């Protein structure tokens, strides 16, 4: 499907719109398939969105929460994406603990953790061998360098095609990340991007001559819907080029 770029005047309008769009897609998934399986992004941008989701009236029993990536730290670490989401959202709603699937960061070797999460995803979806599970929603952020999830520029993770989860590498720090094959299988992929520091990467990503290895978000091309939700500060260069 053709990507849709929606630009909002400021960060709070971006979060408000993202909340409405995500709630709508959660309810649609539940209406159609009796459940919604969503993979969440980390970082700072989605935090107010997650806080707003804590106030949403949703059928939490029918919602399954996974993560698109994770820093290889304990849940109690301030850098933990799971820890942040739990604190601002999941601890505040009646979602069954069994519906929350954090990436395992307690194993001695991150590679074993990646393999374990791969198995957890396959088990959850009951996927046939060789088929790629279909998330209803994958929420993504984008770094100033154009990375998404923990798929960083010029890293081996960008070319992994035979696994659902792999190791990311942020300047030598181990990460766990979904791979492009499973991201691009999703029914709906939603980027949530805020701030002027994202302008350059976005311009590269939307340029016909952009380099996907240098700007990995460029490789997100789902079989389903792709929404880019930006605030004006992030979308500035796109707007001027598009005018
Ligand atoms: C992470 C994320 C990562 C994030 C971007 C943007 O674990 O950090 O999943 O991909 O979305 O780095 O981060 P900000 O929202 O903090 O700019």
């Amino acid at each position: 499907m053709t990507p849709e770029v929606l630009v909002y005047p400021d960060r709070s309008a971006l979060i408000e719109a993202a909340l409405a769009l995500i709630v709508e897609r959660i309810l649609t998934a539940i209406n159609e398939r009796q459940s919604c399986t969503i993979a969440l992004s980390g970082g700072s941008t989605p935090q107010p969105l997650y806080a707003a989701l804590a106030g949403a009236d949703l059928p939490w029993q029918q919602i399954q929460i996974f993560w698109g990536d994770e820093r290889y730290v304990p849940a109690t670490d301030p850098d933990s994406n799971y820890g942040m989401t739990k604190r601002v959202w999941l601890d505040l709603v009646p979602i069954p603990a069994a519906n929350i699937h954090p990436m395992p960061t307690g194993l001695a070797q991150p590679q074993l953790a990646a393999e374990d999460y791969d198995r957890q995803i396959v088990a959850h979806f009951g996927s046939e061998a060789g088929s790629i599970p279909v998330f209803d929603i994958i929420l993504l952020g984008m770094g100033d360098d154009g990375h998404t999830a923990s798929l960083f520029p010029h890293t081996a993770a960008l070319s992994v095609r035979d696994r659902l989860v792999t190791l990311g590498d942020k300047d030598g720090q181990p990460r766990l990340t979904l791979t492009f094959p499973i991201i691009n299988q999703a029914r709906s992929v939603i980027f949530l991007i805020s701030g002027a520091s994202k302008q350059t990467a976005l311009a590269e990503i939307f340029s016909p001559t952009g380099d996907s290895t240098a700007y990995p978000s460029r490789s997100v091309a789902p079989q389903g819907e792709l929404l880019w939700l930006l605030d004006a500060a992030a979308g500035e260069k796109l707007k001027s080029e598009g005018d």
Side-chain angles (χ1 to χ4, degrees):
M1 283 170 77
T2 310
E4 191 172 357
V5 180
L6 301 170
V7 183
Y8 299 91
D10 55 34
R11 189 182 169 101
S12 60
L14 170 69
I15 297 302
E16 193 180 329
L19 175 66
L21 285 162
I22 288 167
V23 164
E24 179 189 1
R25 281 152 182 75
I26 289 173
L27 294 176
T28 299
I30 291 170
N31 289 340
E32 292 176 359
R33 290 175 295 281
Q34 292 70 55
S35 81
C36 175
T37 303
I38 181 170
L40 300 177
S41 66
S44 57
T45 303
Q47 193 162 332
L49 169 63
Y50 297 162
L53 279 161
D57 178 18
L58 288 168
W60 298 108
Q61 307 274 346
Q62 294 170 276
I63 297 172
Q64 297 283 339
I65 307 271
F66 288 78
W67 272 263
D69 75 313
E70 187 57 274
R71 296 83 181 277
Y72 208 71
V73 294
T76 51
D77 188 295
D79 275 351
S80 169
N81 289 333
Y82 163 64
M84 176 272 284
T85 314
K86 184 174 183 301
R87 186 173 67 252
V88 306
W89 172 16
L90 301 180
D91 281 351
L92 311 178
V93 297
I95 186 168
N99 291 25
I100 301 172
H101 310 269
M103 288 185 159
T105 57
L107 301 181
Q109 294 173 31
Q111 181 56 45
L112 295 179
E115 291 163 9
D116 178 67
Y117 206 61
D118 197 305
R119 283 192 295 272
Q120 286 188 48
I121 291 173
V122 169
H124 169 72
F125 284 96
S127 318
E128 299 287 315
S131 72
I132 302 176
V134 180
F135 275 89
D136 291 300
I137 302 166
I138 296 184
L139 186 58
L140 294 174
M142 187 195 74
D144 297 356
D145 60 358
H147 82 264
T148 190
S150 283
L151 297 161
F152 288 91
H154 309 296
T155 58
L158 302 187
S159 51
V160 174
R161 292 291 180 272
D162 60 347
R163 272 157 290 153
L164 308 177
V165 185
T166 194
L167 284 188
D169 174 359
K170 178 180 183 175
D171 307 327
Q173 292 167 24
R175 298 278 192 99
L176 300 178
T177 185
L178 296 187
T179 58
F180 283 124
I182 191 166
I183 289 171
N184 286 333
Q185 199 68 10
R187 290 188 180 87
S188 178
V189 176
I190 301 175
F191 274 100
L192 187 71
I193 302 174
S194 168
S197 68
K198 315 290 185 182
Q199 281 181 13
T200 302
L202 282 169
E204 286 292 332
I205 287 156
F206 282 87
S207 159
T209 59
D211 176 351
S212 300
T213 306
Y215 296 93
S217 297
R218 211 166 173 281
S219 294
V220 174
Q223 50 110 17
E225 167 187 65
L226 175 56
L227 293 183
W228 293 83
L229 307 184
L230 316 176
D231 63 10
E236 189 59 34
K237 283 191 177 159
L238 292 189
K239 250 180 13 183
S240 53
E241 282 173 7
D243 290 351

